Every structure is written in structure tokens, then in C-alpha cells.
């Protein structure tokens, strides 16, 4: 990559757009006719079928980065004690099959479908050459991200692509608003950031990854991130250029799969860089207001040369209407009471 490219990568790293760009929705709306959206989503009349199980988590833990690995703009410190009330969390992210059942039951139309565009990692278009004709432009400063007309959860690389051979992969091109709609239907909710990190750690204290501090597990990859020279060469040492199946790789000590790498997962909270400096100890729910929502876990695009957010303490964020080929979600449920689908 050229020096100019290196500079762009550094800027993107600090602004999170390397992880998943915020889509310029006003431009998208001006350029594309919108598709009529479905009405308000209501709870499923019967118990929804899930591809995942739920496990119980909760209790005290130390939240935040104990190593100084994080980017200052992300606000991963100070490390602080948090008490989380017991809850149930899905063992995997929501899959294409899960989301397809939701759409079939409700007729829901996602943000990307309504606005006619979503962000796609450029190298993925090599698997769908026809999509190049639908490229609208590059994300500012991060040429590896392109806006593709017609890209959505059901056509992840744009027109001509399908999820037929990825039914068990995480659903992607999902905005925070889309995730909230799924939660309303399934009587679940998005996790708070504290709930997410507690569960992602899988019972380990003060570790970098869900399995310990070393990236490789017994010499093998245990997460789906980038290997090689980003963004030009991926050696595919972990076996994947894009998403991996939601149950691939070994689970953490709690039984959760892919809590780092693979896809970014939305949380309920608004993002604030300084939130850890004054957050409550008991069940923190994030700031009351904001313009971006928390994302956790990293994705298949993470690489130490520009973005090391494939750690359990790592934080990122994006606008609630943004979608991309590495953004999905995982759900939680309350124990012993009705589950609220959102916290405004």
C-alpha cells in the first residue's frame, strides 16, 4: 500500500470506518427509489424457532482493557468493576436462516433494502463479478469499502449473490434498527455492552481473547480475522475470506461461538468515549443519548496492522442506520420477566 494508503488506514482506524463505514444515507436516498417498508413489527404469535440455544450469564467482572491494547478514541478504559444481573444470551449470532424466518413471518424490509444500498468489502465482489456494475462509489478514506446498489442481507455481494450456501452463517447488512425489529418479533433484545463483554469473556478474568492471551490456540486459528497483507492479500489461514458459519471454531467457556472475529455485533447502548469514567457499577446501560450505537467483537476484516479490535474489551460504534457486509447481531433475554426489545 502507498504512503497515502497507509495514512488513510490510520485515519480509518481512529474513526472506526475501517471496521464498518457509516453509510451516507442521504445520498443513498437521493440516488435510489425506496421500497415500501413493513408496518410496526409485533411479537410472533408462536414461539419463534431459533438456530441457537440460550445460556445464562451474569455476576461481577472487571470490564475494559487491562493491557493498553485499545485505541484512545475507543475509550476501552479505565478498567472497572461491573455487576451484571443474570440474563440469557444466544450461543451464536443470528443466522441467515433465523432472519429469513423473521422476514417470512412479518414481511419486514431492512434499512439496506429500503434505501437500495449497503457497504460491501471490495474483495468479496470477486465472488460476484456482476456486482461491479452496481458499485456506486468508495467510502471516504477506505477504498476497500464500496457502496453497492442492491446489496442486502439476502444478496450480500449485491445483485446476483445469494445466501443459499450460507444459511448457517451470521446474517449481515443489518442496521441497529433492523436488529431491534427482529428483537421485537422474537421477544428478545440486544445485549447491553456490559452484558456482551461479560458473556464474551466466557468466565476468564482479564484475558485478551475468549480463550486466553495468545491469538493462536494450540497453533491453530480460533477466530475468523484477516491473515496476510491487508487489504490486498488474505492467505485464508482460518479458511474464510468472508463470514464463517456461526458455530465454527471452538466456543468460549460459556458456550458462545465467535465472540471475536467473524462479524461485528450490535449492542443496545449509545457510544461515548468517556463512558467508562463515570458508568455505574450495577448494570450499566450506556449514555442516555448519542449518535452512534456500540458494536462489539470485531470481524473477518480485523488485522493487527490497522485494527486490533478482535479482542473481548475492544469497542467500536456506528450510526443506527448503517449496514455492511460484516455487521450483524446476537440477542439476549431477561430471566423471569418480560423482555423489553429496546432501551431508547
Amino acid at each position: 500500500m502507498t504512503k497515502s494508503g497507509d495514512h488513510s488506514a490510520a485515519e480509518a482506524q481512529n474513526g472506526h470506518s475501517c471496521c464498518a463505514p457509516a453509510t451516507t444515507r442521504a445520498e443513498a436516498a437521493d440516488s435510489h427509489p425506496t421500497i415500501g417498508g413493513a408496518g410496526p413489527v409485533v411479537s410472533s404469535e408462536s414461539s419463534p424457532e431459533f438456530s441457537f440455544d440460550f445460556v445464562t450469564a451474569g455476576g461481577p467482572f472487571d470490564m475494559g482493557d487491562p493491557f493498553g491494547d485499545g485505541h484512545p478514541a475507543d475509550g476501552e478504559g479505565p478498567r472497572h468493576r461491573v455487576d451484571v444481573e443474570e440474563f440469557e444470551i444466544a450461543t451464536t449470532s443470528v443466522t441467515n436462516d433465523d432472519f429469513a424466518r423473521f422476514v417470512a413471518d412479518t414481511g419486514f424490509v431492512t434499512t439496506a433494502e429500503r434505501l437500495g444500498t449497503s457497504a460491501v468489502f471490495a474483495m468479496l465482489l470477486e465472488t460476484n463479478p456482476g456486482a461491479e456494475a452496481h458499485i456506486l462509489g468508495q467510502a471516504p478514506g477506505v477504498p476497500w469499502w464500496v457502496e453497492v446498489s442492491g446489496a442486502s442481507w439476502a444478496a450480500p455481494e449485491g445483485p446476483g449473490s445469494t445466501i443459499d450456501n450460507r444459511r448457517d452463517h451470521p446474517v449481515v447488512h443489518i442496521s441497529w434498527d433492523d436488529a431491534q425489529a427482529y428483537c421485537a418479533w422474537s421477544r428478545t433484545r440486544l445485549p447491553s455492552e456490559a452484558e456482551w463483554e461479560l458473556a464474551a469473556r466466557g468466565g476468564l478474568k482479564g484475558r485478551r481473547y475468549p480463550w486466553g492471551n495468545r491469538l493462536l490456540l494450540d497453533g491453530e486459528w480460533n477466530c475468523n480475522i484477516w491473515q496476510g497483507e491487508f487489504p490486498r492479500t488474505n492467505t485464508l489461514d482460518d479458511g474464510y475470506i468472508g463470514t464463517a458459519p456461526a458455530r465454527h471454531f471452538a466456543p468460549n467457556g460459556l458456550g458462545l461461538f465467535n465472540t471475536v472475529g467473524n462479524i461485528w455485533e450490535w449492542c443496545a447502548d449509545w457510544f461515548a468515549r468517556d463512558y467508562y469514567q463515570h458508568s455505574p457499577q450495577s448494570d450499566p446501560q450506556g449514555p442516555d443519548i448519542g449518535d452512534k450505537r456500540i458494536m462489539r467483537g470485531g470481524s473477518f476484516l480485523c488485522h493487527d496492522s490497522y485494527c486490533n479490535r478482535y479482542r473481548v474489551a475492544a469497542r467500536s460504534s456506528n450510526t443506527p442506520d448503517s449496514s455492511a457486509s460484516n455487521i450483524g447481531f446476537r440477542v439476549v433475554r431477561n430471566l423471569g420477566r418480560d423482555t423489553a426489545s429496546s432501551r431508547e
Side-chain angles (χ1 to χ4, degrees), residues 67-200:
F67 302 100
D69 291 337
H71 306 292
D74 293 352
E76 292 182 24
R79 193 177 182 208
H80 56 291
R81 192 70 165 175
V82 171
D83 297 315
V84 177
E85 186 175 350
E86 281 196 334
F87 64 101
E88 292 183 328
I89 185 166
T91 52
T92 75
S93 53
V94 173
T95 67
N96 285 314
D97 257 348
D98 293 315
F99 203 77
R101 283 190 287 271
F102 161 59
V103 170
D105 190 44
T106 64
F108 182 76
V109 179
T110 63
T111 304
E113 290 171 303
R114 285 190 292 105
L115 297 178
T117 179
S118 192
V120 179
F121 177 57
M123 191 176 287
L124 295 180
L125 297 184
E126 296 176 7
T127 64
N128 183 32
E132 293 183 2
H134 300 276
I135 294 176
L136 304 177
Q138 297 174 336
V142 279
W144 50 87
W145 280 111
V146 291
E147 280 293 316
V148 176
S149 175
S152 71
W153 76 274
E157 290 76 52
S161 63
T162 75
I163 57 170
D164 289 348
N165 63 346
R166 290 176 276 186
R167 308 293 296 190
D168 60 346
H169 286 226
V171 65
V172 293
H173 293 289
I174 298 298
S175 70
W176 187 89
D177 298 324
D178 299 333
Q180 288 289 84
Y182 178 91
C183 289
W185 171 78
S186 61
R187 297 191 287 274
T188 60
R189 60 179 174 83
L190 290 177
S192 70
E193 185 178 21
E195 288 174 331
W196 190 96
E197 184 172 325
L198 167 71

Side-chain angles (χ1 to χ4, degrees), residues 87 89 191-201 256 258-260 265-267 296-298 311-314 330:
F87 64 101
I89 185 166
S192 70
E193 185 178 21
E195 288 174 331
W196 190 96
E197 184 172 325
L198 167 71
R201 290 185 176 278
L256 273 58
N258 290 308
T259 55
V260 295
E265 297 180 354
W266 289 111
C267 290
R296 285 300 206 109
R311 297 169 290 106
V312 289
R330 184 186 305 254

